Amino acid sequence: MQVASVIVDVAARQTDKEFDYKIPEKWEGLIQPGMRVIVPFGPRKIQGFVTALKNASSAKKLKSIIEPMDLLPVLNPELLKLADWLTETTLCFKISAYQAMLPAAMKAKYEKVFRLREAAASMNEELLSLFHRHDEITWEMAEKEGLLAALRQEVKANRAELIYKVTSKGKKKSIRMIGLALSDDKLADSMNALSANARKQKDVLSYLQAAELPLLPAKEVMEQTGTSNGTLKALIEKGLLVERYQEVYRDPYENRQFEQTEPLPLTDQQQTAIAPILGSIEDVRHETFLLYGVTGSGKTEIYLQSIQRVLEKGKEAIVLVPEISLTPQMVHRFKGRFGDDVAVLHSGLSAGEKYDEWRKIQRKEVKVVVGARSAVFAPFENLGIIIIDEEHETSYKQEENPRYHARETAIERAKFYQCPVILGSATPSLESFARAQKGVYQLLSLPNRMNNQRLPDVEIVDMREELRHGNRSMFSRALFEKLTDRLEKGEQTVLFLNRRGHSSFIMCRDCGYVAGCPHCDISLTYHRYSHQMKCHYCGFEEPVPSTCPECQSEHIRYFGTGTQKVEDELGKLLPQARVVRMDVDTTSRKGSHEKLLQQFAEGKADILLGTQMIAKGLDFPNITLVGVLSADTMLHIPDFRSAEKTFQLLTQVSGRAGRHQLQGEVVIQTYTPDHYSIQLAGKQDYDQFYKEEMVMRKLGSYPPFYYLALVTVSHEDLLAASSATEKITHYIQARLSNEAIILGPVASPIARINNRYRYQCLIKYKREPKLNHVLKSVMEHYTKQHNDKGLQVAVDVNPFIMM
Ligand code: ADP
Ligand code: ZN
Ligand code: ZN
């Protein structure tokens, strides 16, 4: 007897374990670990992942697998092992780990349908007539028609059955191909036999005869011969043509040409940096490299040449870039070097397109994957390198289960394949730089820009001074002067508005009332486009009031600076300037991001105005001025990383200026000009920033000196939330060493979301081998035995969002 261990697709603590199922004889040898199967589970039929095969089971009554969903494993043994590791380190359910590794289109969707087994005269007439018209009746249809009760009777009497149909969302796209059905001589006979007025049909046959390929797309044949589908159909009916449906991939870049690029001769500093990486590839040895180099220092060329070596060895490469910098420019560089060997995975693709790219990898039709966070799970089986560009980006941490970090995941995979990992950044995360200092990672530096261009000159402007001089505009005098100068010279400017933590809100000028969300403890954000106020946490929205609800004053208006407001002001001050605005409003449509950039690249605009999304990856020769309108907004977020994020962002933005021949200038406007993160970003002095920030981290007992784990508890009842958090805090405290610092219970920075009160307990620790076990038992306790269903407990190991 063959038995399969199966993890079922029910994300719950009770079902987070392997269940045994018998493999029916007809599928013995076919069902493998890593395949999905349909299994009976209680009264239901659900999906599950086979994790292992065995010859016996200790379970008494063994149910059988109903059917396999795959013919080949969708998870290879290495990925199955990686899922164990993910489960262990992020405390997620095993099934969540498996799901995270597969494209969303493969997540099973069940459709419940009823089928008729045998009709009976006693059956409800409506039901009978429905079954007459449809093979299947969906649950929804039955519900809508009020037939569920009647159906239940029929199912009981075994005259109808309920089926859980697993539908795959990722439909394979296919195209119709046609070809000749007969060999040449037989065809000649048939052509002669065609009536004289069947000219069109003859044209099609001759066209196909002359073609080199046996099958051609029907559409192409019709276009080339000027015939219609009717002609083809007639030929198919006569048995002269065959039609086949061939699967095609939906390549989002299919109609684009990428100019082939050759490896550049490396500079001395690049050569020094790449040598250890090539050594690690050569020796098949795992090592993590931190490639620390300012923007424009030639990191990408090092990635490209390292990958090339890996491909020469017959191995594969994964390149992770932050979603926001998966710009066409970035994709071009990889496609330009490696052509069709490259698959691209980003969030702009439809579920179907992502599924196509995933299958190209699965079938080994590509060798390089460039993608955002989840591309770290690309199903390669002979990995030779993993590269993480902009490794400091917080988007590499997933903020839902499994709460994994792409960096740690990449290193785990690389250990298995004994291959290098390159972490690249101009402003490494404090954690990574500290590890490089300690020798855990090997530090590789590119201190100079290509051709030793100077870094741009940075001027920090104190906006409080501006106000004292009577300048109430959002542009300082210095920035305005330089803007005008660039316009005259025909050079380009990037204006950057940091919106994070700086949304526009509605406030009453007379009484100070601020419009807040009735369900969350957060103010509502003003959306000018729809003239609505929205809550970014729960989605609540309402129109802007015309008078203040508190004091009835009419002086209620919005504050804060949105990109649109800046655009309006530019229009007033510099009407001759051509402005391209890039923010969520102008780039939400597919392809608009690229179009706007293209416009700017072609010199059809003088000023590029935008939010975070313009901070990265831009590389245009004509940009000589970068203006940061408000540098400090992010500093005030209650997060120990706020200085680091501010420094990184300002450095990134400044790096957009003067990347080529023309010297660049940067103006940073701020209300806190003395803050070290702003001062040092102005000097682009990462090393000093690292030193000063490390002192702060040490004082605060934060990473990289301590690890963190965050437990967040929420409940509709405030008291229930706080008392549960208190119990949890005590429970954890009692089980960890004295060295662990446990802070709590305290209200979360956002104390209420969607009418649920939120409390947290923060654990800072250096070495607590029991911690994961303790946290797991906390979650088990509160999800299993606890009868209070309203209570939710979430654990985030190494959190990046502290709210
Ligand atoms: P980074 O990734 O560090 O920002 P890039 O790799 O984009 O730097 O390099 C900056 C510019 O220098 C690019 O235009 C790139 O084509 C060019 N470049 C990189 N390496 C070389 C080289 N060895 N020789 C000539 N040009 C190079
Ligand atoms: Zn008021
Ligand atoms: Zn809300």
Side-chain angles (χ1 to χ4, degrees):
M1 180 177 67
Q2 262 208 338
V3 175
S5 307
V6 174
I7 296 281
V8 293
D9 186 9
V10 180
R13 196 53 68 189
Q14 298 90 312
T15 50
D16 187 29
K17 58 177 185 220
E18 289 172 335
F19 292 91
D20 285 352
Y21 286 92
K22 184 176 157 14
I23 299 179
E25 257 166 48
K26 57 181 169 179
W27 286 315
E28 275 186 17
L30 177 101
I31 289 180
Q32 298 294 326
M35 272 190 198
R36 296 171 304 160
V37 289
I38 304 290
V39 294
F41 194 74
R44 301 189 291 159
K45 296 174 180 177
I46 61 173
Q47 190 200 305
F49 285 82
V50 176
T51 55
L53 301 181
K54 31 190 201 180
N55 294 320
S57 168
S58 55
K60 285 207 191 76
K61 271 180 73 183
L62 214 51
K63 291 184 189 170
S64 288
I65 286 176
I66 295 167
E67 58 179 341
M69 287 182 71
D70 303 304
L71 288 174
L72 291 171
V74 291
L75 295 173
N76 64 38
E78 180 251 333
L79 287 175
L80 285 172
K81 230 181 108 208
L82 188 70
D84 294 343
W85 174 84
L86 274 176
T87 310
E88 197 60 33
T89 52
T90 71
L91 306 175
C92 69
F93 301 134
K94 190 66 69 65
I95 190 71
S96 312
Y98 291 153
Q99 301 286 24
M101 294 179 172
L102 295 174
M106 285 172 74
K107 256 176 226 156
K109 226 176 97 179
Y110 313 103
E111 203 185 8
K112 284 179 281 192
V113 299
F114 294 94
R115 283 195 198 141
L116 185 65
R117 288 174 59 89
E118 58 171 318
S122 62
M123 217 177 244
N124 177 312
E125 253 185 51
E126 256 181 277
L127 186 59
L128 209 53
S129 104
L130 257 186
F131 271 135
H132 191 67
R133 279 174 286 144
H134 304 277
D135 283 349
E136 296 170 344
I137 302 176
T138 65
W139 183 283
E140 287 74 31
M141 204 194 293
E143 206 165 18
K144 217 173 91 208
E145 303 290 338
L147 290 171
L148 279 181
L151 272 164
R152 194 170 61 206
Q153 278 191 355
E154 301 303 329
V155 172
K156 262 190 187 164
N158 213 9
R159 284 190 293 265
E161 62 181 336
L162 173 59
I163 293 166
Y164 292 85
K165 228 170 66 167
V166 177
T167 55
S168 176
K169 274 188 281 181
K171 291 236 172 62
K172 294 170 187 170
K173 187 182 165 193
S174 58
I175 60 167
R176 184 176 170 221
M177 309 285 283
I178 54 163
L180 296 171
L182 305 172
S183 59
D184 274 2
D185 45 338
K186 281 194 187 149
L187 183 68
D189 294 346
S190 307
M191 271 169 97
N192 291 333
L194 282 176
S195 67
N197 53 12
R199 279 212 62 136
K200 292 271 178 200
Q201 298 187 8
K202 283 185 184 167
D203 287 351
V204 170
L205 294 174
S206 331
Y207 183 80
L208 286 169
Q209 240 180 339
E212 280 175 15
L213 296 170
L215 288 171
L216 292 179
K219 196 165 154 246
E220 182 192 315
V221 176
M222 288 188 277
E223 275 168 14
Q224 294 297 324
T225 56
T227 51
S228 70
N229 194 27
T231 318
L232 299 188
K233 272 194 174 153
L235 284 165
I236 292 166
E237 261 160 44
K238 284 180 187 155
L240 297 176
L241 284 190
V242 290
E243 66 178 342
R244 299 264 181 282
Y245 283 85
Q246 247 181 32
E247 193 186 332
V248 290
Y249 298 122
R250 284 152 286 203
D251 182 353
Y253 293 92
E254 88 189 311
N255 293 320
R256 261 174 269 174
Q257 291 298 315
F258 293 94
E259 212 177 302
Q260 178 83 31
T261 62
E262 294 298 323
L264 301 165
L266 295 181
T267 60
D268 285 350
Q269 87 170 2
Q270 278 174 321
Q271 241 154 21
T272 313
I274 203 173
I277 301 171
L278 298 182
S280 149
I281 295 170
E282 204 58 46
D283 302 349
V284 192
R285 171 167 45 82
H286 164 67
E287 198 163 348
T288 303
F289 298 98
L290 178 60
L291 182 59
Y292 162 49
V294 294
T295 45
S297 59
K299 294 189 294 295
T300 308
E301 187 61 33
I302 291 188
Y303 302 156
L304 292 169
Q305 298 199 15
S306 305
I307 293 170
Q308 185 168 357
R309 181 66 58 90
V310 164
L311 298 188
E312 283 162 12
K313 300 261 170 213
K315 297 185 182 180
E316 301 127 357
I318 296 175
V319 183
L320 301 184
V321 297
E323 182 63 52
I324 203 162
S325 59
L326 249 181
T327 55
Q329 277 190 326
M330 193 71 176
V331 172
H332 274 227
R333 294 188 71 175
F334 287 87
K335 285 248 179 189
R337 194 67 57 90
F338 305 115
D340 290 341
D341 278 344
V342 181
V344 179
L345 293 170
H346 64 86
S347 66
L349 302 181
S350 68
E353 285 167 340
K354 277 186 202 154
Y355 178 51
D356 287 349
E357 297 292 295
W358 182 88
R359 278 177 315 124
K360 278 193 212 166
I361 306 165
Q362 175 88 344
R363 295 181 184 181
K364 316 231 161 22
E365 291 170 4
V366 292
K367 302 240 152 26
V368 182
V369 168
V370 181
R373 182 180 59 227
S374 63
V376 75
F377 298 120
F380 282 134
E381 296 188 305
N382 197 8
L383 257 179
I385 196 165
I386 304 179
I387 293 164
I388 305 186
D389 190 34
E390 311 279 11
E391 70 87 31
H392 59 274
E393 274 292 317
T394 48
S395 64
Y396 286 126
K397 169 74 190 292
Q398 172 152 304
E399 291 303 343
E400 56 187 60
N401 285 323
R403 296 169 185 267
Y404 70 94
H405 197 294
R407 188 201 299 133
E408 312 312 323
T409 312
I411 292 173
E412 186 66 18
R413 288 197 79 179
K415 280 181 191 160
F416 180 91
Y417 289 104
Q418 285 299 304
C419 74
V421 171
I422 310 181
L423 309 174
S425 178
T427 52
S429 64
L430 273 260
E431 286 92 335
S432 292
F433 205 74
R435 278 183 205 155
Q437 296 291 327
K438 284 171 79 179
V440 181
Y441 302 160
Q442 187 175 343
L443 185 64
L444 308 171
S445 303
L446 295 175
N448 304 316
R449 281 184 149 183
M450 272 298 129
N451 307 328
N452 294 315
Q453 283 149 321
R454 270 199 301 141
L455 286 169
D457 299 318
V458 180
E459 180 173 350
I460 294 170
V461 178
D462 184 349
M463 290 305 274
R464 297 168 306 182
E465 274 305 305
E466 293 293 312
L467 213 57
R468 268 178 230 133
H469 282 84
N471 177 9
R472 297 183 160 276
S473 144
M474 59 181 79
F475 302 106
S476 61
R477 289 158 300 167
L479 181 56
F480 189 72
E481 200 176 285
K482 291 187 207 296
L483 254 175
T484 325
D485 171 66
R486 296 317 192 275
L487 277 179
E488 279 163 11
K489 287 196 208 141
E491 293 172 7
Q492 290 179 306
T493 299
V494 171
L495 285 182
F496 177 75
L497 186 67
N498 179 14
R499 286 273 305 258
R500 217 182 283 175
H502 191 284
S503 48
S504 344
F505 53 98
I506 300 284
M507 187 170 119
C508 170
R509 288 203 141 181
D510 286 325
C511 74
Y513 161 86
V514 172
C517 175
H519 312 293
C520 311
D521 290 338
I522 199 101
S523 52
L524 293 169
T525 302
Y526 176 55
H527 283 247
R528 189 168 160 162
Y529 190 65
S530 54
H531 201 59
Q532 292 276 85
M533 302 186 298
K534 284 186 197 164
C535 171
H536 284 186
Y537 284 87
C538 74
F540 172 84
E541 79 186 90
E542 66 179 5
V544 177
S546 52
T547 57
C548 169
E550 290 284 312
C551 75
Q552 271 70 50
S553 155
E554 286 175 6
H555 297 131
I556 182 157
R557 54 194 58 160
Y558 77 95
F559 278 79
T561 321
T563 43
Q564 210 160 24
K565 201 166 163 191
V566 180
E567 191 180 14
D568 292 349
E569 182 121 347
L570 280 171
K572 276 186 220 137
L573 297 173
L574 300 166
Q576 73 276 30
R578 296 161 305 164
V579 181
V580 168
R581 176 165 66 97
M582 273 178 69
D583 55 25
V584 278
D585 287 341
T586 64
T587 57
S588 50
R589 253 180 310 132
K590 208 176 164 182
S592 51
H593 184 129
E594 186 173 5
K595 218 179 274 166
L596 290 173
L597 275 184
Q598 190 61 24
Q599 222 176 315
F600 191 65
E602 287 167 4
K604 290 186 183 142
D606 308 298
I607 299 171
L608 177 63
L609 164 67
T611 51
Q612 263 89 342
M613 67 173 70
I614 63 170
K616 302 194 183 73
L618 287 180
D619 187 4
F620 300 131
N622 206 26
I623 302 174
T624 59
L625 177 63
V626 169
V628 180
L629 292 169
S630 49
D632 24 24
T633 48
M634 208 154 51
L635 274 179
H636 309 304
I637 296 176
D639 184 334
F640 71 94
R641 288 192 177 88
S642 64
E644 181 182 356
K645 286 183 191 163
T646 300
F647 178 84
Q648 284 163 349
L649 201 61
L650 292 179
T651 312
Q652 289 284 353
V653 183
S654 306
R656 298 305 112 208
R659 286 169 65 92
H660 297 261
Q661 262 64 40
L662 299 167
Q663 181 58 27
E665 267 188 304
V666 178
V667 176
I668 294 177
Q669 303 188 155
T670 170
Y671 288 91
T672 45
D674 299 325
H675 194 280
Y676 64 99
S677 65
I678 291 175
Q679 281 290 326
L680 295 170
K683 293 186 190 130
Q684 308 235 352
D685 189 346
Y686 176 84
D687 295 340
Q688 187 58 29
F689 174 77
Y690 172 77
K691 279 188 200 129
E692 295 201 18
E693 182 66 9
M694 284 297 268
V695 174
M696 304 304 286
R697 298 289 178 90
K698 187 155 195 184
L699 283 174
S701 307
Y702 279 115
F705 296 96
Y706 280 80
Y707 292 108
L708 300 182
L710 182 67
V711 181
T712 301
V713 178
S714 71
H715 197 288
E716 285 183 2
D717 181 47
L718 180 109
L719 221 62
S722 71
S723 72
T725 316
E726 189 165 352
K727 280 187 207 137
I728 290 172
T729 308
H730 286 311
Y731 179 88
I732 295 172
Q733 194 131 39
R735 278 156 189 82
L736 299 186
S737 78
N738 290 335
E739 277 171 40
I741 303 167
I742 293 152
L743 303 171
V746 290
S748 301
I750 300 175
R752 189 174 53 126
I753 291 182
N754 222 349
N755 287 325
R756 299 181 64 86
Y757 290 91
R758 305 169 76 242
Y759 272 79
Q760 64 185 31
C761 162
L762 182 67
I763 305 142
K764 301 175 172 181
Y765 65 99
K766 281 178 190 281
R767 227 188 75 83
E768 298 294 336
K770 275 195 285 184
L771 180 66
N772 277 10
H773 181 75
V774 170
L775 291 174
K776 217 167 167 176
S777 59
V778 164
M779 282 199 292
E780 254 160 43
H781 178 76
Y782 280 95
T783 47
K784 203 191 279 175
Q785 308 149 312
H786 226 266
N787 32 28
D788 189 352
K789 289 208 179 76
L791 193 76
Q792 282 174 11
V793 180
V795 173
D796 193 351
V797 183
N798 298 324
F800 276 75
I801 293 180
M802 314 294 286
M803 315 283 247

